[in-house]
Amino acid sequence: MAGARPGGEGFSLSEPEIIRRYFLDRASGGDDVIVGIGDDGAILRPPEHADLVVSVDMLVAEVHFGREASAEDIGYKALAVNLSDLAAMGAEPAWATLALALPAADEGWLDGFSRGFLELARRHGVKLVGGDLTRGPLAIAVGVYGFVPRGTGLRRTGARPGDLVYVTGTLGDAALGLLISQGRAETEEIFWDHLNARLYRPAPRIAEGLALRGRASSAIDLSDGLVSDLGHLLAASGAGATIDIDSLPLSPAVQAVGDARTRFELALAGGDDYELCFTLAPGSHITLESTSAHCIGRIEEQAGLRFVRADGTRFVPGSAGYRHF
Ligand SMILES: [Mg+2]
């Protein structure tokens, strides 16, 4: 990890000590990492005949996570949201970099954060190869690096009229979990664990992204909600879509929400689900069981996103998903 040593008041440990204690011993090496953490830069060996896929995301306290989030959950989620972007590109994750701004070298916080981060890293064979540490308001920037066989990366641009629209998993769980954690909604206790896991421990759909490589005509991950993210995909593809509201996959927890409009709003506009939304040309085969995917609509020539109920009536969502600015 290169960069300025934080030092000064608030940091009793030096940057190298922090890295050694919380990140170095627990980060794994391997044939592809010639030089990892500890030098001015990492020296990495990409596989032959592969395209490198790079993504970076920033998480800021009070914007991306509240005070109630544990350090371990923040560490986990900081990597998970980045791996979700690699999943949307069909990439197999390889490496990560981490830049942290911390108000103080709180050892309990660092221990929890690194445990959450490295737990998920290990699960996906991701090696932490470098980063930076500085003093400042809590902010986390994670970079991830993955590979696809040359020319096979998934994009947002390939959806064509007639293609079918799919989503993996279920929608709206993280948004419902957030409302409950803020005391703005209630649910039965049997759903708490599921909703907390969906909010704080999203599972990046890496295996699904790999299965879609060379098959899906387009793909995106759902970080800001279906309306917003599918809107990005449609704009990039120069197409529109009609979505069948009654075919949206909902978990038992979201199904238990009494009011139908609230259920649909959670599924359409709720962010943080980190499922994949993708399109398939009609007749293209894919083992849909392996992607846990549901067909929710169809791509059309007419621009824009339209929603219909099973009985054919139109549905107009009240909000359009998370807006960053
Ligand atoms: Mg994304």
Side-chain angles (χ1 to χ4, degrees), residues 64-291:
H64 297 96
F65 49 86
R67 288 175 194 282
E68 80 290 349
S70 73
E72 206 170 335
D73 286 339
I74 294 170
Y76 177 100
K77 196 164 173 179
L79 181 60
V81 302
N82 278 278
L83 292 181
S84 177
D85 280 325
L86 287 189
M89 307 299 290
E92 184 152 17
W95 309 313
T97 54
L98 167 66
L100 259 181
L102 283 181
D106 177 333
E107 294 200 43
W109 194 92
L110 278 163
D111 183 59
F113 179 88
S114 65
R115 266 191 287 116
F117 187 97
L118 294 173
E119 175 199 323
L120 183 64
R122 267 189 293 266
R123 195 177 302 164
H124 289 285
V126 172
K127 294 155 193 165
L128 183 64
V129 296
D132 193 20
L133 186 61
T134 185
R135 190 149 60 92
L138 182 57
I140 305 147
V142 176
V144 285
Y145 308 80
F147 295 98
V148 294
R150 237 170 242 182
T152 65
L154 299 170
R155 303 170 195 206
R156 300 177 178 185
T157 49
R160 295 291 171 262
D163 288 2
L164 298 174
V165 182
Y166 292 82
V167 289
T168 60
T170 56
L171 302 177
D173 298 291
L176 180 57
L178 182 65
L179 288 180
I180 289 162
S181 79
Q182 294 170 338
R184 293 161 62 201
E186 284 180 359
T187 187
E188 287 176 59
E189 207 175 319
I190 50 163
F191 298 131
W192 287 358
D193 286 348
H194 166 78
L195 293 173
N196 269 323
R198 290 301 307 266
L199 179 58
Y200 295 115
R201 298 270 169 151
R205 295 289 190 178
I206 296 292
E208 289 80 353
L210 296 181
L212 293 172
R213 216 155 60 182
R215 295 187 175 89
S217 50
S218 70
I220 192 167
D221 72 316
L222 300 179
S223 53
D224 299 338
L226 183 72
V227 170
S228 171
D229 291 316
L230 178 55
H232 297 319
L233 183 148
L234 294 172
S237 293
T242 293
I243 300 302
D244 173 6
I245 293 290
D246 291 292
S247 69
L248 295 174
L250 306 179
S251 68
V254 173
Q255 280 174 32
V257 172
D259 173 51
R261 172 159 282 273
T262 307
R263 276 200 303 276
F264 294 146
E265 296 287 350
L266 285 168
L268 291 175
D272 265 5
D273 279 326
Y274 299 100
E275 296 295 346
L276 296 184
C277 177
F278 60 93
T279 57
L280 289 179
S284 56
H285 8 211
I286 181 160
T287 328
L288 287 173
E289 303 79 64
S290 72
T291 67

Side-chain angles (χ1 to χ4, degrees), residues 28-101:
S28 49
D31 293 348
D32 54 336
V33 180
I34 315 301
V35 175
I37 293 174
D39 211 312
D40 292 306
I43 302 178
L44 306 168
R45 186 157 294 164
E48 284 180 56
H49 313 298
D51 288 336
L52 172 64
V53 181
V54 177
S55 183
V56 63
D57 247 312
M58 188 145 185
L59 274 82
V60 175
E62 309 297 331
V63 177
H64 297 96
F65 49 86
R67 288 175 194 282
E68 80 290 349
S70 73
E72 206 170 335
D73 286 339
I74 294 170
Y76 177 100
K77 196 164 173 179
L79 181 60
V81 302
N82 278 278
L83 292 181
S84 177
D85 280 325
L86 287 189
M89 307 299 290
E92 184 152 17
W95 309 313
T97 54
L98 167 66
L100 259 181

